[in-house]
Amino acid sequence: MKNSDRWKKTIKTLFARKVAVFSALVVVVFIFLAAFAPLIAPYDPNYADFASFLQGPSSTHLLGTDNYGRDVLSRIIYGTRVSLIIGVLAVMIACVIGTFFGMVAGYFGGIVDDVISRLMEAIRAIPQIILAMALTAVFGSGIRNLAIILGISSMAGYVRMMRGQVLTIKQADYIMAGKLQGNKDFRLMFKHILPNSISPIIVMMTQQVGSTILSEAGLSFLGLGISAPTASWGSMVSEGRLFLMQNPVFALTPGICVAVLVICLNMFGDGVRDALDPRLRGEV
């Protein structure tokens, strides 16, 4: 089967599942909100109106206002942008670095494999959120720093996944034939090994965006993530918990947004995993 036909069948299998379609639609809605936040948000998310702080939902402010009089809906819309940017950037950083080192470790083996594997085991031994907290305390917060920190703290999984794929694929006949033809090691790695081992990496990326967004929200909740006054779901929950009785919508809505986005991303990731499984596509 040609690669184009295989990918067409994969996409058809993915969107034949109603759960995957629903999850994809919800994720698209969040992406739309993030992309067009300046046009959709009814107010400036950082505009403070102290005459109307902690107001409940109304026709003027659909989700009420926070403790500074800022519109909660506008801040949630802008918080979508922050969460998705950090989640996607962190996963891309983790994927690129982890995939490269995983290929190098699996292909060359020996002392190179030992050094990379031991280093990744040391990283995996530390819980991701704890490692991210430590790195944030050293390098500071902000969208760029947080994306890099979360990417570094989660790259060990990609190294392990890619290393296992390479150990299997490098024994294939076409890899041996390529070596006999005089192809360089890195040419074989990027032209033949990587394309044939990318499917589980795609699945891992899809599933990890949700967990990365959850980590960012946790760091912001603890005050180590996005700094005020930038809107962030985690920091909104942290601020809103102090006023849960006066305006529960202020704290509950961003928490619900985190839960919905993470759940939909994970369900979509499960759909991608099933669609890329050749046994479920009827190819085995």
Side-chain angles (χ1 to χ4, degrees):
M1 181 182 294
K2 296 180 180 179
N3 286 333
S4 59
D5 294 337
R6 183 180 293 111
W7 283 109
K8 288 179 182 178
K9 193 168 185 178
T10 297
I11 294 172
K12 183 178 179 180
T13 304
L14 172 62
F15 288 103
R17 292 169 168 79
K18 294 182 179 180
V19 174
V21 173
F22 173 78
S23 301
L25 289 175
V26 173
V27 173
V28 168
V29 169
F30 278 108
I31 294 173
F32 179 82
L33 291 175
F36 298 100
L39 300 177
I40 298 173
Y43 297 94
D44 182 343
N46 298 324
Y47 174 71
D49 183 4
F50 293 101
S52 58
F53 69 94
L54 290 178
Q55 287 187 351
S58 65
S59 57
T60 305
H61 301 281
L62 295 180
L63 295 179
T65 59
D66 65 7
N67 54 316
Y68 293 100
R70 299 172 297 194
D71 184 63
V72 172
L73 176 60
S74 299
R75 290 184 64 77
I76 285 176
I77 292 173
Y78 273 85
T80 307
R81 172 180 289 187
V82 171
S83 295
L84 285 175
I85 288 175
I86 291 177
V88 173
L89 279 180
V91 168
M92 289 178 64
I93 291 170
C95 177
V96 171
I97 298 175
T99 299
F100 175 76
F101 283 109
M103 280 199 301
V104 170
Y107 187 85
F108 293 105
I111 190 172
V112 175
D113 185 16
D114 290 338
V115 170
I116 294 176
S117 297
R118 298 298 83 76
L119 180 60
M120 293 303 112
E121 287 174 6
I123 293 176
R124 287 175 63 88
I126 306 172
Q128 182 186 3
I129 190 68
I130 302 299
L131 179 59
M133 288 173 62
L135 293 174
T136 302
V138 174
F139 297 106
S141 57
I143 293 178
R144 182 185 61 184
N145 286 352
L146 208 55
I148 294 172
I149 288 167
L150 290 173
I152 292 174
S153 62
S154 60
M155 69 177 182
Y158 292 93
V159 174
R160 184 178 181 182
M161 174 74 74
M162 195 65 190
R163 176 182 176 274
Q165 292 291 310
V166 173
L167 288 175
T168 302
I169 295 174
K170 75 175 185 178
Q171 305 298 331
D173 292 340
Y174 61 89
I175 300 297
M176 298 298 179
K179 289 181 178 179
L180 293 174
Q181 290 175 354
N183 288 299
K184 301 294 184 181
D185 291 330
F186 281 96
R187 177 180 173 83
L188 290 173
M189 289 165 58
F190 286 100
K191 186 175 181 180
H192 298 289
I193 294 179
L194 181 60
N196 286 284
S197 57
I198 199 66
S199 294
I201 299 299
I202 293 175
V203 174
M204 193 171 184
M205 288 178 65
T206 308
Q207 294 178 329
Q208 200 168 35
V209 172
S211 62
T212 304
I213 290 174
L214 198 59
S215 297
E216 179 275 322
L219 288 172
S220 296
F221 178 82
L222 295 172
L224 297 172
I226 301 302
S227 303
T230 304
S232 168
W233 289 344
S235 60
M236 289 180 68
V237 173
S238 179
E239 294 172 357
R241 66 188 173 87
L242 302 174
F243 307 97
L244 196 58
M245 300 305 296
Q246 294 97 319
N247 187 5
V249 177
F250 174 23
L252 295 178
T253 308
I256 292 171
C257 289
V258 173
V260 170
L261 180 56
V262 170
I263 290 171
C264 288
L265 282 168
N266 287 339
M267 289 195 300
F268 184 70
D270 290 340
V272 173
R273 179 198 60 202
D274 295 342
L276 289 173
D277 190 337
R279 292 172 297 181
L280 298 177
R281 296 201 307 262
E283 296 178 11
V284 176

